[in-house]
Amino acid sequence: MENNYGAFGRISWPVCTARLSLRPAEPSDAEATWEWRGLPAVNRWLSAAPTREEYLRSFTEPRRMSTMLIVERDGVPIGDLMLRVTDAWAQAEVADQAHGVQAELGWTLNPSQQGHGYATEAVRAAITLCFDRLGIRRIEASCFAANEPSWRLMERLGMRRELYSVAESLHRELGWLDGMTYALLADEWHALQSDEHPD
């Protein structure tokens, strides 16, 4: 499958793990992703909680289509990943060396599929994709501190907590909440993989 959106065009799809496959989102995925993104338990931690009509209408916006991966189990969508390639901050004289070297990750999973390690498996695949196929040097992921399953997942994968911000994020229902940012460098990831799979 080919995809002409952004960094995804450089990858041969699908990318498969032991139990899952990842591929770029297509317009036909709108209804399937709404199945879980429309649930209060899921969208309470997302940046927006649109109506079904608003979500379906906005699904094919270029920003979403260039950053969204669908996670499938046996050909059925069960979650999605956001993989946004970004530039690192750099001084003007070396800015060309900072182009496209970082990535931001995010994820959602259908609650009916939780408890099987699918989110960990999918995010691990996305990290590997970033470091081994896209040439990314650093990844980041952020969440509300109250979203414990999300930051626990980051820690399981070896990501480092770099930022804990007090009352810096305004939640639509819960008011001002603390936020957290985790990060990981390519060298750190490769060292972790070597430790897990020694020769």
Side-chain angles (χ1 to χ4, degrees):
M1 175 189 304
E2 291 188 8
N3 184 289
N4 295 319
Y5 293 111
F8 292 172
R10 295 183 263 159
I11 305 298
S12 178
W13 302 100
V15 170
C16 297
T17 67
R19 301 177 296 171
L20 308 172
S21 63
L22 278 58
R23 61 168 176 79
E26 301 173 350
S28 59
D29 293 314
E31 287 284 359
T33 57
W34 174 253
E35 181 180 331
W36 60 84
R37 282 179 162 261
L39 298 173
V42 174
N43 68 36
R44 74 179 312 215
W45 301 120
L46 301 179
S47 58
T51 66
R52 178 180 175 275
E53 292 71 26
E54 290 168 340
Y55 180 78
L56 297 180
R57 191 166 50 247
S58 69
F59 188 81
T60 57
E61 291 175 352
R63 181 173 173 142
R64 183 187 303 274
M65 299 306 288
S66 66
T67 61
M68 187 181 207
L69 297 175
I70 301 299
V71 179
E72 293 183 327
R73 167 104 168 118
D74 297 326
V76 177
I78 64 166
D80 62 79
L81 300 171
M82 185 267 294
L83 194 168
R84 179 179 298 128
V85 176
T86 63
D87 297 343
W89 184 88
Q91 292 179 309
E93 296 81 4
V94 289
D96 60 324
Q97 298 171 45
H99 179 69
V101 297
Q102 293 191 170
E104 180 185 359
L105 297 180
W107 48 85
T108 67
L109 186 72
N110 190 326
S112 70
Q113 301 296 317
Q114 292 176 356
H116 305 287
Y118 295 146
T120 302
E121 186 172 333
V123 176
R124 179 180 285 116
I127 293 172
T128 300
L129 188 65
C130 285
F131 292 146
D132 294 350
R133 308 275 287 281
L134 294 176
I136 300 299
R137 63 173 298 278
R138 174 185 166 90
I139 61 165
E140 295 182 354
S142 299
C143 68
F144 290 106
N147 186 0
E148 185 173 344
S150 190
W151 61 260
R152 291 276 186 206
L153 186 155
M154 298 181 216
E155 291 185 353
R156 270 197 306 280
L157 290 171
M159 296 182 74
R160 172 186 55 260
R161 185 186 300 179
E162 290 193 339
L163 182 65
Y164 189 102
S165 302
V166 177
E168 59 88 39
S169 299
L170 183 57
H171 190 280
R172 69 181 73 91
E173 300 163 5
L174 304 175
W176 289 102
L177 296 181
D178 297 352
M180 300 166 75
T181 297
Y182 283 73
L184 186 67
L185 297 173
D187 291 347
E188 294 170 327
W189 178 250
H190 293 134
L192 285 171
Q193 302 315 297
S194 296
D195 290 345
E196 290 178 9
H197 308 286
D199 291 335

